[in-house]
């Protein structure tokens, strides 16, 4: 452009020289206004140039003034859209004006004004019109974001004609090409631009020829396009229906990119859904991390999700698949009903993704059914469908079969029912025989229970023997109540209530149950019950002086009602007594048939009657002679009577008190010894009746003892109860030590070591009485005086002679009741002698072992006579708390 203007100026010079020559001749000439040889003006301006003829007087000789454009064409008058046109000179002056309207760069050029001058060369002048381009920023935004780490360009494109010169400034310094900077025509390139290059840059443009300059502040902020933080984000995800799932999409960039999630199948922006109040807010997107979370997942949420990270510098997007596992749901679960021995099929079909695993579980069991469970089972499995066929159905197959469908999203179950139909059966009807009797006020209840599916209905018939109409059976209907028949329910259980109104009711009844699969009959015989058959025999099982226990044997009477018990009446033989006023007893079946309170030595006649609901059977008589009073029966061992305490020095003995055989039991004598040592080293204790236990103390640990327990009544000692026990292991205790010295401590549990005042008084009184007795006995024996002497003379005259007074030592080793027991022993002894004398008998039972039985010998000894010398020693060892020993002796 500069070169072009120089050329233009040279042309102008030539032209001026030419004009000068013409003017000098003083000829008419054309004059331009403004008078410049060239006209420079900005594009879009509207300059005009006037071309007039000088002098005006030459008007006649000069004509046709006109303008020619740079191409030499005449410029016409003003017309539409013309950017240039001509018109007559202003103010009626002879000449012509050239006018531009918004002149453009291409309108620039040499415009000539020419006129004809008759007889001469035509007049001509020109002006060089230049439309120049003003300096201007074409592309230089004030805020620019070059991309990070690129050769970022700060744009500043300046236009102008002539071309402007551009300069860059940054931080008050001029920036020139070099280093990371490169000044280009359209901007400043900064290599590997970073955030440290952020700041204000000044772009200055100048056209010295025109004296024009402009500048612009450009703010540079480096940007970077979004990038996903990790490779492969977002990742494919899996979620379970009803649960939640999340997909990550964290991105970086300057500025911070905005994350958007798009559900690809329908193009919905789930980020926006969050703000939509109408939707359930199942989707949430964390604005910082970009993580999308979906709550309460549904199958419809499955599909491609696109994550878009976007900022001013760009956008990055990626899609990933979300799989939603769908819970199993049952579509079809069938029940089935089928006959026994046929095949039944149940099936279940499910929805769910992934396809659920299906299995059948029999209700009440835990193991799933497999083909191996039962050869009758056939399992057919397809995807989302399971079918179970049971062949040869059994009644036991009836029940619920649970179909269980499971996949990762959950487990669902649903039960199918297999109903196995079967014909009626009376397998569980226990009644085959019923019994009643004429006169029974209660109707007999004949009940049939028919098992079947579906429920059976029951009808009743009676089988007729010797039917006059040759009908084997007769139907029983609801209308036959006056005949004694009442029917309760018709199935599946039915009761026929038969009242004994006539003998016709006895016989066979048919209970007929039917359903669509068949019919079944059950027969119940209604028998006529009678009083029990006579008793076959009665045996005495146990006999004492006052009691008798019987064994009663009744004959087999199965067809009859069960025996309910026996009544027994008894009278003394050879007396006036008769059975009308006789004492009676009633026994239900099974109790011990025992009669007590009988008189010793008597003969009784017992009369037994068997009983049932019909009545009383025939009598059965039995005579029994009661034995005389004798020594008691042996005590019996109590089951579980052993002491389990396992103590070393103590042992609790337990026994059952025996029958006293007519005379009250007075005491129990316990003899015990170490089994290893033998009876010679025995110790003896007694305890007063009634008693059923005794604690032996002062024993040696880990030792086996043998024990004999005998009961005594006035007639003597019973046979012994023999037993063994072994003490627990323990240290050799003070108990054992003291026992070795012959002293036993009172068991602190059993004995009242601390004697109370009444007991001490009792002891004192007893001791006083004992002393009195001894004095009395002494008087009787030496001086034949005193109370005993008086009694002896009064009674012994009529009584049998007492013989020997061989009284041995009675050693009452201490007992818990030593005082009471010893004194009691003595007094009961006396009383026994008294009663002997009064009864005139000394029939003490002598079957006892030849034990140290003081009383027996006393009985034999003819105590009243006193003609034999003896030594009576009554020893009472009272260790007690005082540890004293009282020993009383007397010579007879
Ligand atoms: C199948 O039987 C079960 C249990 O008896 C019942 O709950 C269910 O409704 C039945 N299903 C159909 C389809 O009859
Ligand atoms: C008859 O016996 C059946 C079965 O024991 C019972 O269910 C029913 O109630 C009885 N009927 C009468 C009237 O006692
Ligand atoms: C069958 O009988 C039983 C027992 O009486 C009853 O519970 C059940 O409802 C009956 N079934 C039908 C289908 O009538
Ligand atoms: C009691 O002990 C004796 C001897 O050890 C033994 O034979 C008997 O079976 C025991 N009785 C019980 C009921 O434990």
């Amino acid at each position: 452009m500069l070169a072009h203007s120089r050329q233009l100026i040279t042309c102008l010079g030539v032209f001026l020289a030419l004009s000068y020559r013409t003017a000098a001749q003083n000829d008419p000439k054309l004059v331009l206004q403004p008078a410049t040889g060239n006209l420079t003006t900005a594009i879009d301006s509207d300059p005009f140039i006037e071309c007039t003829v000088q002098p005006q007087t030459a008007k006649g000789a000069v004509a046709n003034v006109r303008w020619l454009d740079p191409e030499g064409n005449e410029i016409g008058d003003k017309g539409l859209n013309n950017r240039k046109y001509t018109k007559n000179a202003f103010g009626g002056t002879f000449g012509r004006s050239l006018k531009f309207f918004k002149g453009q760069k291409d309108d620039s050029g040499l415009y000539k004004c020419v006129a004809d001058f008759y007889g001469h060369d035509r007049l001509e002048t020109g002006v060089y019109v230049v439309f120049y381009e003003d300096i201007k920023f074409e592309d230089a935004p004030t805020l620019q974001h070059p991309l990070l780490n690129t050769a970022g360009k700060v744009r500043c494109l300046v236009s102008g004609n002539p071309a402007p010169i551009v300069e860059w400034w940054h931080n008050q310094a001029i920036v020139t090409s070099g280093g990371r900077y490169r000044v280009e025509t359209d901007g400043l390139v900064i290599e590997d631009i970073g955030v440290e290059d952020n700041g204000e840059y000044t772009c200055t443009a100048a056209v010295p020829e025109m004296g024009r300059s402009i500048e612009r502040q450009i703010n540079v902020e480096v940007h970077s396009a979004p990038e996903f933080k990790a490779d492969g984000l977002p990742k494919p995800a899996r979620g379970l229906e009803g649960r939640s799932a999340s997909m990550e999409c964290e991105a970086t960039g300057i500025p911070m990119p905005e994350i958007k999630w798009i559900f690809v199948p329908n193009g919905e922006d789930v980020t926006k859904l969050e703000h939509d109040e109408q939707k359930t807010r199942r989707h949430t997107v964390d604005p910082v991390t970009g993580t999308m979370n979906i709550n309460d997942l549904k199958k419809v949420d499955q599909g491609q999700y696109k994550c878009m990270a976007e900022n001013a510098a760009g956008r990055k997007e990626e899609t990933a698949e979300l799989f939603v596992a769908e819970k199993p749901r049952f579509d079809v679960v069938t029940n089935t009903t089928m006959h026994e021995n046929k095949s039944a099929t149940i099936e279940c079909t499910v929805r769910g993704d992934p396809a659920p695993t299906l299995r059948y579980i029999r209700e009440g069991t835990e193991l799933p059914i497999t083909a191996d469970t039962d050869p009758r089972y056939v399992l057919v499995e397809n995807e989302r469908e399971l079918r179970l066929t049971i062949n040869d159905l059994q009644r036991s197959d009836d029940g619920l079969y649970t179909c269980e469908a499971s996949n990762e999203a959950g487990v669902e179950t649903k039960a199918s029912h297999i109903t196995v139909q079967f014909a009626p059966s009376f397998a569980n009807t226990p009644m085959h025989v019923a019994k009643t009797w004429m006169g029974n006020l209660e109707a007999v209840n004949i009940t049939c229970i028919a098992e079947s599916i579906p429920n059976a209905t029951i009808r009743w018939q009676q089988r007729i023997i010797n039917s006059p109409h040759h009908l084997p059976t007769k139907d029983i209907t609801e209308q036959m109540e006056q005949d004694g028949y009442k029917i309760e329910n018709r199935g599946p259980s039915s009761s026929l209530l038969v009242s004994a109104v006539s003998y016709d009711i006895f016989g066979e009844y048919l209970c007929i149950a039917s359903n669509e699969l068949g019919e079944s009959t059950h027969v119940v015989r209604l028998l006529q019950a009678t009083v029990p058959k006579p008793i076959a025999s009665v045996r005495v099982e146990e006999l004492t002086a006052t009691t008798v226990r019987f064994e009663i044997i009744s004959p087999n009477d199965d067809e009859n009602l069960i025996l309910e018990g026996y009544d027994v009446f008894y009278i003394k033989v050879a007396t006036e007594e008769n059975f009308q006023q006789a004492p009676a007893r009633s026994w239900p079946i099974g109790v011990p048939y025992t009669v007590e309170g009988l008189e010793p030595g008597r003969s009784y006649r017992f009369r037994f009657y068997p009983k049932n609901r019909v009545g009383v059977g025939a009598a059965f008589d039995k005579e029994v002679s009661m034995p005389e009073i004798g020594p008691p029966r042996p005590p019996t061992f109590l089951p579980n009577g052993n002491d389990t305490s396992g103590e070393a020095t103590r042992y609790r003995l337990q026994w059952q008190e025996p029958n006293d055989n007519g005379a009250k039991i007075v005491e129990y004598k316990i003899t015990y010894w170490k089994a290893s040592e033998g009876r010679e080293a025995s110790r003896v204790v007694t305890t007063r009746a009634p008693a059923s236990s005794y604690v032996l103390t002062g024993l040696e640990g880990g030792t086996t003892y043998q024990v004999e327990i005998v009961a005594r009544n006035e007639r003597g000692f019973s046979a012994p109860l023999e037993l063994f026990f072994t003490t627990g292991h323990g240290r050799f205790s003070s108990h054992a030590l003291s026992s070795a010295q012959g002293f036993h401590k009172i068991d602190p549990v059993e004995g009242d070591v601390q004697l109370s005042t009444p007991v001490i008084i009792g002891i004192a009184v007893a001791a006083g009485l004992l002393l009195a007795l001894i004095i009395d006995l002494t008087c009787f024996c030496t001086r034949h005086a005193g109370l005993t002497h008086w009694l002896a003379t009064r009674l012994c005259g009529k009584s049998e002679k007492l013989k020997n007074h061989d009284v041995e030592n009675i050693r009452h080793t201490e007992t818990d009741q030593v005082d009471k027991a010893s004194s009691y022993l003595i007094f009961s002894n006396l009383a026994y002698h008294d009663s002997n004398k009064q009864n005139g008998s000394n029939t003490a039972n002598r079957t006892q072992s030849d034990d140290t039985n003081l009383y027996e010998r006393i009985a034999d000894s003819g105590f009243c006579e006193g003609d034999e010398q003896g030594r009576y020693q009554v020893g009472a060892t009272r260790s007690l708390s005082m540890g004293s020993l009282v020993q009383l002796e007397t010579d007879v």
Side-chain angles (χ1 to χ4, degrees):
M1 177 160 288
L2 218 65
H4 190 229
S5 5
R6 293 224 175 92
Q7 193 182 11
L8 195 113
I9 290 163
T10 316
C11 288
L12 225 81
V14 174
F15 177 74
L16 280 172
L18 240 155
S19 341
Y20 175 74
R21 189 184 53 83
T22 313
Q25 289 175 353
N26 208 11
D27 287 334
K29 55 182 181 186
L30 297 173
V31 176
L32 295 179
Q33 248 185 336
T36 55
N38 55 45
L39 180 71
T40 305
T41 185
I43 287 172
D44 280 345
S45 58
D46 306 335
F48 83 96
I49 305 157
E50 207 158 53
C51 178
T52 54
V53 178
Q54 297 284 347
Q56 288 281 301
T57 48
K59 189 176 179 179
V62 178
N64 203 11
V65 181
R66 58 193 187 273
W67 282 92
L68 302 177
D69 66 17
E71 276 84 45
N73 301 319
E74 187 177 336
I75 301 168
D77 288 346
K78 181 177 182 182
L80 270 176
N81 302 325
N82 280 358
R83 287 217 301 270
K84 48 190 185 261
Y85 57 89
T86 57
K87 63 182 269 289
N88 284 334
F90 282 89
T93 317
F94 181 40
R96 207 156 174 91
S97 295
L98 170 63
K99 193 141 175 41
F100 288 91
F101 177 71
K102 288 194 185 298
Q104 295 300 307
K105 196 176 171 188
D106 55 5
D107 293 329
S108 301
L110 180 59
Y111 286 85
K112 284 179 185 166
C113 178
V114 297
D116 295 335
F117 182 20
Y118 299 115
H120 294 82
D121 294 336
R122 64 176 192 184
L123 301 176
E124 188 175 302
T125 188
V127 59
Y128 210 92
V129 179
V130 177
F131 285 98
Y132 77 87
E133 204 183 328
D134 201 4
I135 187 165
K136 163 167 123 214
F137 291 109
E138 291 290 346
D139 176 17
T142 54
L143 178 61
Q144 291 191 30
H145 302 290
L147 285 181
L148 185 72
N149 300 336
T150 59
K153 181 179 269 183
V154 185
R155 284 170 290 132
C156 184
L157 180 60
V158 187
S159 67
N161 200 351
I165 305 159
V166 175
E167 270 181 359
W168 286 92
W169 294 75
H170 178 50
N171 294 342
Q172 283 88 46
I174 192 156
V175 178
T176 55
S177 286
R180 290 169 56 232
Y181 297 111
R182 199 168 72 242
V183 178
E184 292 187 349
T185 52
D186 57 346
L188 171 67
V189 174
I190 307 173
E191 292 292 341
D192 192 21
I193 193 166
V195 283
E196 68 279 1
D197 296 313
N198 281 355
E200 201 164 76
Y201 290 75
T202 307
C203 171
T204 308
V207 180
E209 296 98 315
M210 299 295 169
R212 298 272 305 151
S213 98
I214 52 172
E215 67 174 47
R216 178 165 281 181
Q217 318 290 339
I218 297 175
N219 229 323
V220 171
E221 286 174 8
V222 174
H223 268 185
S224 67
E227 279 298 332
F228 293 124
K229 226 172 187 175
D231 277 346
L233 274 182
K235 290 195 184 77
R238 249 178 128 80
L240 307 182
E241 186 184 348
R243 306 284 187 77
S244 59
S246 56
M247 293 176 90
E248 282 176 41
C249 187
E250 194 166 9
T252 56
I254 305 173
M256 189 68 190
E258 193 190 333
I259 306 286
K260 256 192 200 174
W261 282 94
I262 309 287
F263 185 45
V264 178
N266 62 9
E268 243 176 338
D269 181 347
V270 299
T271 326
K272 283 221 187 79
L273 286 178
E274 196 204 348
H275 305 294
D276 189 341
E277 289 297 326
Q278 301 297 23
K279 305 244 175 179
T280 56
R281 295 168 166 240
R282 295 192 298 113
H283 297 77
T284 52
V285 176
D286 186 318
V288 177
T289 64
T291 300
M292 172 179 65
N293 198 71
I294 311 176
N295 291 320
D296 186 20
L297 279 174
K298 300 187 186 320
K299 189 64 178 172
V300 292
D301 296 327
Q302 177 173 314
Q304 295 273 338
Y305 283 83
K306 184 197 282 176
C307 172
M308 286 175 20
E310 188 166 19
N311 68 5
R315 163 206 283 200
K316 178 121 184 167
E317 56 183 51
E318 206 64 63
T319 58
E321 174 92 18
L322 171 67
F323 176 82
V324 178
E326 187 189 15
K327 282 181 194 165
R329 285 190 183 76
F330 288 97
D331 277 334
V332 181
V333 174
T334 58
N335 289 342
T336 189
T337 298
M338 192 47 67
H339 298 182
E340 214 173 353
N341 305 325
K342 298 276 174 63
S343 298
T345 299
I346 49 175
E347 68 171 2
C348 64
T349 62
V350 283
R351 276 172 294 152
D353 193 18
T357 313
L358 291 171
R359 55 189 201 165
Y360 271 113
I361 299 164
R362 177 87 199 254
E363 182 145 303
T365 68
E366 256 149 46
L367 291 176
I369 291 172
T370 65
D372 301 333
T373 307
D374 191 315
R376 299 178 298 120
Y377 289 173
V378 181
L379 279 166
V380 177
E381 188 168 5
N382 292 315
E383 197 170 82
R384 297 190 171 82
E385 178 183 303
L386 182 64
R387 195 174 301 154
L388 170 67
T389 301
I390 304 180
N391 294 315
D392 185 22
L393 271 183
Q394 306 293 310
R395 276 166 62 179
S396 58
D397 294 326
D398 191 295
L400 288 172
Y401 294 77
T402 302
C403 180
E404 183 193 271
S406 55
N407 67 9
E408 61 189 89
V411 180
E412 288 289 318
T413 59
K414 191 143 189 168
S416 284
H417 195 261
I418 296 183
T419 306
V420 181
Q421 295 187 319
F422 55 96
S425 144
F426 288 107
N428 287 330
T429 299
M431 187 182 273
H432 295 276
V433 168
K435 295 161 195 163
T436 188
W437 60 97
M438 292 306 294
N440 185 2
L441 299 178
E442 264 175 59
V444 63
N445 181 346
I446 304 175
T447 297
C448 278
I449 305 154
E451 286 161 66
S452 67
I453 293 179
N455 282 344
T457 53
I458 290 177
R459 65 203 155 87
W460 290 89
Q461 289 181 341
Q462 188 182 11
R463 188 167 282 152
I464 297 171
I465 303 135
N466 304 329
S467 159
H469 310 291
H470 307 289
L471 288 172
T473 58
K474 162 180 95 176
D475 284 328
I476 296 169
T477 64
E478 263 83 6
Q479 284 74 51
M480 292 168 68
E481 278 205 38
Q482 72 281 6
D483 300 331
Y485 299 113
K486 187 161 183 280
I487 296 170
E488 246 183 20
N489 300 329
R490 286 296 195 166
S493 121
S494 175
S495 298
L496 176 66
L497 303 168
V498 185
S499 304
V501 294
S502 79
Y503 285 100
D504 293 345
I505 61 158
F506 297 106
E508 279 184 354
Y509 289 87
L510 274 56
C511 168
I512 302 155
S514 54
N515 71 1
E516 60 199 62
L517 276 82
E519 195 173 272
S520 179
T521 302
H522 179 72
V523 178
V524 178
R525 285 190 299 140
L526 181 57
L527 302 178
Q528 189 172 358
T530 58
V531 296
K533 280 189 187 164
I535 290 170
S537 75
V538 172
R539 203 171 65 77
V540 172
E541 208 167 47
E542 197 187 29
L543 189 62
T544 73
T546 57
T547 65
V548 58
R549 190 167 88 232
F550 295 105
E551 183 190 27
I552 305 173
I553 297 156
S554 281
N556 199 10
D557 195 10
D558 282 347
E559 303 270 276
N560 211 343
L561 293 178
I562 55 160
L563 265 185
E564 296 200 326
Y566 299 102
D567 285 342
V568 63
F569 300 83
Y570 51 96
I571 54 171
K572 292 180 190 133
V573 176
T575 60
E576 302 294 298
E577 285 180 9
N578 62 41
F579 279 104
Q580 268 71 47
Q581 287 102 44
R585 236 161 212 289
S586 234
W587 293 307
I589 294 293
V591 301
Y593 307 128
T594 307
V595 181
E596 289 118 357
L598 302 171
E599 269 178 38
R602 279 271 180 197
S603 281
Y604 285 89
R605 175 170 295 126
F606 294 87
R607 180 159 290 171
F608 301 88
Y609 294 97
K611 292 187 295 186
N612 67 9
R613 287 184 61 212
V614 182
V616 175
F620 184 94
D621 282 8
K622 171 132 189 121
E623 244 180 66
V624 179
S625 297
M626 304 308 291
E628 296 294 347
I629 294 175
R633 296 272 174 239
T636 45
F637 193 66
L638 264 189
N640 304 319
N642 287 359
D643 187 6
T644 54
S645 72
E647 282 183 68
T649 60
R650 296 154 38 95
Y651 189 83
R652 172 188 281 270
L653 288 171
Q654 278 183 284
W655 61 89
Q656 190 158 18
E657 291 205 273
N659 183 286
D660 64 8
N661 204 8
K664 200 167 172 229
I665 294 174
V666 168
E667 62 171 3
Y668 293 93
K669 186 172 97 176
I670 300 159
T671 310
Y672 62 103
W673 60 93
K674 287 184 199 165
S676 58
E677 293 181 0
R679 207 187 159 95
E680 303 75 51
S682 69
R683 295 197 203 119
V684 180
V685 292
T686 55
T687 184
R688 185 183 154 187
S692 58
S693 73
Y694 187 79
V695 177
L696 298 177
T697 57
L699 303 176
E700 217 166 274
T703 307
T704 301
Y705 285 86
Q706 193 170 349
V707 186
E708 269 183 18
I709 306 171
V710 291
R712 186 182 67 80
N713 66 7
E714 62 183 30
R715 294 303 167 101
F717 285 94
S718 68
L721 161 67
E722 293 184 19
L723 55 104
F724 291 86
F725 67 84
T726 303
T727 50
H729 284 276
R731 255 162 281 148
F732 198 61
S733 69
S734 58
H735 286 79
L737 274 171
S738 63
S739 82
Q741 292 156 6
F743 294 96
H744 292 178
K745 278 191 181 162
I746 289 289
D747 171 30
V749 181
E750 291 284 316
D752 45 346
V753 176
Q754 307 300 321
L755 292 177
S756 58
T757 318
V759 174
I760 294 170
I761 293 168
I763 292 166
V765 170
L769 285 170
L770 192 62
L771 197 63
L773 173 71
I774 291 161
I775 293 165
D776 186 56
L777 283 172
T778 314
C779 293
F780 165 64
C781 296
T782 58
R783 311 209 172 121
H784 300 276
L787 183 65
T788 310
H789 175 74
W790 179 78
L791 283 169
T793 47
R794 281 284 308 268
L795 301 168
C796 289
K798 290 167 256 166
S799 70
E800 282 181 39
K801 301 291 177 210
L802 290 174
K803 281 178 254 162
N804 203 358
H805 296 197
D806 186 9
V807 180
E808 286 201 7
N809 291 346
I810 313 162
R811 176 158 292 147
H812 296 287
T813 318
E814 106 293 354
T815 74
D816 50 336
Q817 296 171 315
V818 61
D819 300 280
K820 284 184 247 160
S822 56
S823 54
Y824 176 81
L825 264 173
I826 289 157
F827 292 121
S828 66
N829 214 355
L830 285 175
Y832 173 64
H833 287 296
D834 283 352
S835 68
N836 259 355
K837 286 162 199 156
Q838 278 155 359
N839 294 346
S841 73
N842 62 350
T843 56
N845 190 333
R846 303 208 53 173
T847 61
Q848 296 291 334
S849 67
D850 189 19
D851 211 348
T852 52
N853 192 331
L854 164 67
Y855 312 98
E856 205 172 300
R857 295 184 190 203
I858 287 174
D860 287 343
S861 65
F863 183 80
C864 293
E865 289 255 299
D867 53 2
E868 288 212 32
Q869 294 253 316
R871 189 175 162 85
Y872 291 81
Q873 186 181 53
V874 181
T877 303
R878 293 199 214 132
S879 65
L880 300 181
S881 49
M882 320 139 191
S884 69
L885 180 81
V886 178
Q887 189 151 10
L888 303 168
E889 282 185 24
T890 181
D891 284 321
V892 181

